């Protein structure tokens, strides 16, 4: 019976694809259709809430003894529920943005809605292959909801992440519709209208996930560059980049707006792949969906293709093909073949995707993908290079050596790496250079390709010589022609500094996004925490110094530049001369020449020097223009980000959570002094009334002293679950101090021994125990910064919803 809700939802999507204008013309009918799309998720959630074990999915993942809120959370514990939840969110987003956007033509509006409903239909069809309402005739029982998900934050965090991804998909469909018809009037207002709520929801969702990790996971931090965390960070960066396009100097092209919209949707799909393609990123602790086995290929794409014969194969391959489809559309749009939109923009990528889907299960894994890429690039292979301009001052690949570079570069990348994902990234970076009328003016894409090659070598994704070969293609115009000649003008002016700082968010965020993506792709067997922090530090420094320069724009340019270069030089000198001066684990080596303190010194001075002027900018903007303008809200987000970064350095960069010195052995009745604090083990407890779940508990009562006086008491513990194959769950406890939190984690390696000892000889027999202690100065800044960022983003979203004008002004 419940399975019919899937059929009803699919029919509703088809009806809305055929008659998308019903959202405007028949609003009540439209509401009913959108509710029908959400019906399967509501139905499945209701089955979990009442613990209907006649449904196999509920029997395997639910539990009669679970509190009501955790029964609801169990709806998205496995593979089927999140798909239905995503479909429901897509229905809500399609309804919310169902009316025409700013200056949107009728046909563009209809196509945008059709694409959104089409993606929702795809989610529902994938759900049907998994059969979420399958009967349980044998009365099977599973292990129930994963223990790590039995927390209050997990009731909120996953739904918010999927809502954010839905808004990213909406941006991609808007971009597709604009490219289809060339309807780009007020494109900035359309894109920002969807970007701002997307960024707010993504920030809230990621932050709640960090809070969950901080309170539950036994590494005691809020961020560990886990593949799933990093995956969700990628669309967030794309949304940040989208939010800054309006303020960059000069006119932002339609291709830039739509290309970034396509990238945002593709990165949301990629982030979903990282989360749900269990076994591809074997290093991830987020293994709630499938087991991590049977993954012999060493590249990401190869591992994804291994999954094609398993239950999740249809979903994984669908996401891969959608990413390839969006990539193909971008390539064809860059090449300018959009005069007959459907034929040139959609037809070839769609045909390629369909053929790939058909051949995926009939041939070896790489064959259909190669066929798809060939279908995308085929028109350029037969397009002999044309002479575009006769002036010697212009340079283009199409005029150089009469070689089809658009085919040569991806082919070289494939021949020397065999990694199709790396080949696709190279194609996406190179095609704008290839198609540019004057390649040197497309310096941004040259920088992006250079960043990708460097990051690939740094992270170990490719060998150094491979990166060098491909790097040569991206810097070729500048090697042959040198810098573009222009009239020499004084550079140390307010105008120059202002333009530079307004370019900084776009350039630095773009390069940082590429760096993060490449490191993630190379991190399939080990999380590269140090690589993310080390290679990202210069970008954080540059962004903070850009904020300082902008907020000091009324000062003397010479003074501003002196401070900027002086700060950068001081950071480097401090990083080299006194890397361990910041305390914590600053002296912990991350390589032969570098330590954690090195990274911290590269970031902290620039962030600290920007804090006061950015805060003053918020205050001054509110005083001068009130709360009805975009600028003060945007600067409040910047101020919150700077606060968060200061806290991040002290709580994450300067803490080595694998260092054994944080593991302290305590003896009952004795005070152990560590870093100015005294810790006394008072006793073992086997019950905790505040816990709503679990079947067994062991905790340790620890008193904390400072200056000889008791300042608090904590109770870290471990919570066990009968019948679960997983180890007990950490119950982290924190002692809140003015400078930050002191985090206490029960050392799980001693659990079984302590349990046996208590069972045999009683609680008083336990005289020694181990606890992991992290003193985290600045941890409050992380959460305060996060809260201010959300406040600013909510402020921006409300202003946009009120249709506040968005003047193009460098002052904003």
């Amino acid at each position: 019976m419940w399975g019919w809700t899937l059929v009803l939802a699919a029919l509703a999507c088809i009806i809305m694809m055929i008659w998308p204008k019903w959202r405007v013309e028949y609003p009540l009918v439209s509401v009913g259709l959108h509710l029908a799309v959400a019906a399967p998720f509501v139905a499945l959630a209701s089955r979990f809430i009442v613990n209907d074990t006649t449904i196999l999915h509920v029997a395997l993942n639910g539990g009669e003894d679970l509190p009501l809120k955790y029964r609801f959370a169990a709806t998205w514990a496995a593979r089927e529920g999140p798909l239905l939840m995503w479909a429901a969110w897509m229905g809500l987003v399609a309804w919310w943005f169902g009316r025409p956007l700013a200056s949107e033509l009728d046909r563009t509006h209809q196509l945008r809605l059709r694409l959104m409903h089409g993606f929702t239909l795809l989610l529902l069809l994938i759900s049907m292959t998994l059969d979420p309402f399958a009967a349980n005739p044998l009365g099977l029982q599973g292990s129930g909801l994963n223990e790590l998900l039995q927390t209050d934050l997990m009731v909120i965090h996953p739904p918010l992440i999927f809502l954010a991804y839905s808004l990213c998909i909406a941006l991609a469909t808007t971009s597709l519709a604009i490219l289809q018809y060339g309807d780009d009037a007020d494109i900035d207002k359309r894109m920002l209208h969807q970007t701002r709520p997307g960024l707010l929801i993504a920030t809230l969702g990621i932050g709640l996930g960090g809070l969950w990790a901080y309170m539950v996971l036994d590494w005691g931090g809020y961020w560990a560059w886990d593949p799933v965390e990093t995956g969700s960070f990628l669309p967030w960066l794309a949304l940040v980049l989208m939010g800054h396009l309006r303020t960059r100097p000069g006119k932002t092209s339609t291709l830039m707006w739509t290309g970034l919209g396509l990238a945002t949707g593709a990165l949301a799909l990629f982030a979903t792949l990282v989360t749900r393609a269990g076994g591809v990123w074997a290093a991830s602790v987020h293994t709630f969906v499938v087991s991590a086995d049977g993954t012999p290929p060493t590249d990401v794409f190869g591992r994804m293709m291994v999954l094609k014969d398993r239950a999740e194969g249809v979903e994984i391959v669908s996401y891969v093909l959608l990413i390839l489809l969006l990539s193909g559309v971008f390539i064809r749009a860059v090449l300018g073949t959009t005069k007959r939109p459907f034929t040139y923009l959609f037809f070839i990528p769609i045909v390629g995707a369909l053929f790939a889907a058909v051949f995926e299960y009939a041939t070896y894994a790489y064959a259909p993908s190669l066929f798809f890429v060939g279908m995308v690039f085929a028109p350029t292979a037969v397009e002999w290079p044309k002479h575009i301009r006769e002036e010697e001052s212009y340079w283009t690949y199409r005029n150089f050596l009469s070689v089809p570079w658009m085919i040569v570069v991806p082919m070289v990348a494939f021949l020397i790496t065999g990694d199709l994902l790396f080949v696709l990234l190279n194609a996406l970076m190179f095609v704008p250079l290839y198609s540019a009328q004057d390649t040197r003016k497309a310096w941004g894409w040259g920088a992006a390709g250079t960043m990708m090659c460097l990051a690939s070598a740094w992270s170990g994704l490719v060998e150094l010589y491979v990166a060098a070969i491909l790097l040569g293609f991206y810097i070729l115009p500048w090697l042959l022609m040198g810098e573009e000649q222009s009239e020499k003008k004084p550079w140390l002016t307010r105008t120059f500094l202002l333009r530079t700082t307004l370019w900084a968010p776009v350039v630095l965020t773009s390069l940082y996004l590429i760096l993060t993506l490449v490191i993630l792709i190379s991190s399939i067997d080990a999380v590269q925490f140090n690589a993310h922090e080390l290679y990202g530090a210069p970008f954080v420094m540059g962004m903070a110094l850009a904020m300082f320069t902008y907020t000091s724009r009324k000062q003397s340019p010479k003074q501003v530049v002196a401070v900027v270069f002086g700060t950068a030089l001081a950071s480097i000198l401090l990083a080299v001369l006194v890397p361990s001066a910041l305390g914590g684990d600053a002296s912990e080596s991350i390589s032969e020449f570098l330590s954690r303190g090195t990274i911290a010194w590269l970031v902290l001075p620039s962030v600290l020097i920007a804090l006061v002027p950015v805060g003053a900018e918020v205050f001054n903007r509110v005083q001068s223009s009130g709360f009805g303008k975009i600028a003060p809200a945007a600067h409040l987000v910047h101020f919150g980000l700077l606060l968060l970064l200061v806290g991040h350095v002290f709580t994450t960069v300067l803490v080595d959570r694998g260092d054994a010195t944080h593991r302290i052995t305590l003896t009952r009745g004795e005070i152990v002094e560590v870093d100015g604090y005294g810790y006394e083990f008072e006793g073992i407890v086997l019950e905790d009334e505040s816990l709503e779940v679990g079947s067994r508990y062991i905790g340790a009562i620890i008193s904390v002293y400072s200056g000889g006086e008791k300042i608090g008491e904590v109770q870290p513990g471990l919570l066990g679950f009968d019948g679960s194959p997983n180890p007990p769950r950490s119950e982290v406890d924190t002692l809140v101090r003015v400078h930050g939190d002191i985090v206490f984690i029960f050392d799980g390696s001693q659990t079984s021994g302590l349990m046996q000892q208590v069972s045999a000889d009683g609680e008083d027999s336990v005289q020694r125990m181990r606890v992991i202690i992290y003193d985290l100065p600045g941890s409050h800044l992380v959460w305060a910064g996060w809260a201010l960022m959300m406040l600013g983003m909510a402020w921006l979203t409300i202003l946009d919803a009120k249709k506040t004008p968005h003047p193009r002004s460098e002052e904003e």
Side-chain angles (χ1 to χ4, degrees), residues 197-533:
L199 188 56
L200 170 62
I201 298 300
T203 305
L204 177 59
I206 292 173
L208 288 176
L211 187 60
W212 167 71
Y214 189 70
M215 297 176 64
V216 174
L217 291 186
D218 57 6
W219 45 265
Y222 72 94
W223 192 265
W225 291 107
D226 180 88
V228 170
E229 296 172 358
T230 310
S232 67
F233 189 49
L234 292 172
W236 186 87
L237 285 173
L239 290 167
V240 169
L241 181 55
M242 182 83 76
H244 286 87
L245 283 186
R246 182 179 59 88
T247 54
R248 63 176 282 277
K251 177 177 172 56
T252 302
S253 67
T254 296
L255 185 61
M256 184 173 289
W257 280 110
T258 54
L260 187 53
L262 295 174
T264 304
L267 289 172
L269 291 168
F270 186 74
T272 310
L273 263 178
V274 176
T275 306
R276 297 174 65 78
V280 174
W281 279 267
S284 177
V285 300
H286 295 72
T287 54
F288 309 131
V289 177
V290 293
S291 60
D293 57 1
T295 55
T298 58
D299 65 291
V300 168
F301 195 88
R303 290 195 179 184
M304 288 180 181
M305 292 303 99
V306 167
L307 301 178
K308 70 185 180 66
D309 295 324
R310 293 154 79 176
E312 63 272 20
V314 173
E315 180 184 4
I316 300 306
V317 171
S318 297
Y319 296 152
V320 171
L321 292 177
L322 284 174
I323 292 172
L324 290 174
L325 175 61
L326 293 175
S327 302
V329 169
F330 173 72
I331 289 171
R332 302 208 56 74
V334 171
L335 293 173
T337 49
T338 58
K339 292 182 180 179
R340 294 173 60 192
F342 181 78
T343 303
Y344 285 95
L345 188 64
F346 286 110
F347 182 69
I348 291 177
I350 287 175
V351 170
L354 290 175
F355 271 96
V358 171
F359 288 127
E360 192 66 58
Y361 292 92
T363 63
Y364 294 104
Y366 288 128
S369 305
L370 283 172
F371 180 78
F372 171 78
V373 174
M375 290 292 289
V376 173
F377 297 147
T380 64
V382 298
E383 178 190 359
W384 198 253
K386 296 175 289 187
H387 189 77
I388 297 179
R389 293 178 184 265
E390 296 181 356
E391 295 91 337
E392 292 184 359
S393 61
Y394 289 93
W395 196 96
T396 173
Y397 283 93
R398 300 188 189 190
N399 283 351
F400 184 63
L401 298 181
S402 297
V403 174
W405 294 97
M406 192 56 233
I407 297 299
V408 170
V409 173
M411 187 59 67
V412 169
F414 177 73
L415 291 176
I416 59 180
T417 67
D419 188 332
L420 280 173
L421 192 54
F422 184 69
V423 172
L424 180 62
L425 287 177
N426 271 279
L428 292 172
M429 300 297 169
F430 186 74
V431 66
L433 284 176
Y434 169 81
S435 61
Q437 298 258 331
D438 184 357
T439 304
R440 288 173 302 170
K441 291 185 178 179
W443 57 267
W445 288 103
T450 301
M451 183 74 255
M452 184 193 61
C453 293
L454 292 175
S456 298
W458 294 337
S459 63
L461 181 64
V462 299
E463 298 291 337
L464 182 61
Y465 79 92
V466 174
I469 292 172
L470 292 168
L471 179 61
F473 291 117
Y474 294 103
I475 64 175
L476 184 61
W478 294 270
L479 289 176
L480 294 176
M481 298 292 292
E483 292 292 334
E484 183 181 5
Q485 297 298 319
S486 60
E487 182 183 351
K488 292 185 177 180
K489 297 180 181 179
W491 68 274
L492 194 52
T493 63
R494 285 192 176 91
T495 300
F496 173 82
L497 291 181
L498 184 60
R499 289 179 63 85
T500 301
T501 56
L502 290 174
W503 265 110
V506 175
V507 175
L508 293 177
T509 305
S510 301
L511 297 179
Y512 187 50
L513 191 157
I514 294 168
L515 171 71
T516 306
L517 174 61
V518 171
I519 295 178
L520 173 60
I521 292 172
S522 66
S523 302
I524 54 179
D525 290 316
V527 176
Q528 300 193 54
F529 171 85
N530 294 329
H532 282 289
E533 298 291 354

Side-chain angles (χ1 to χ4, degrees), residues 31 133 162 187 214 246 282 299 308 476 514 523 558 576 645 686 752:
V31 168
F133 298 102
F162 276 101
I187 188 173
Y214 189 70
R246 182 179 59 88
D299 65 291
K308 70 185 180 66
L476 184 61
I514 294 168
S523 302
K558 290 184 179 179
V576 173
L645 288 171
L686 301 179
S752 59

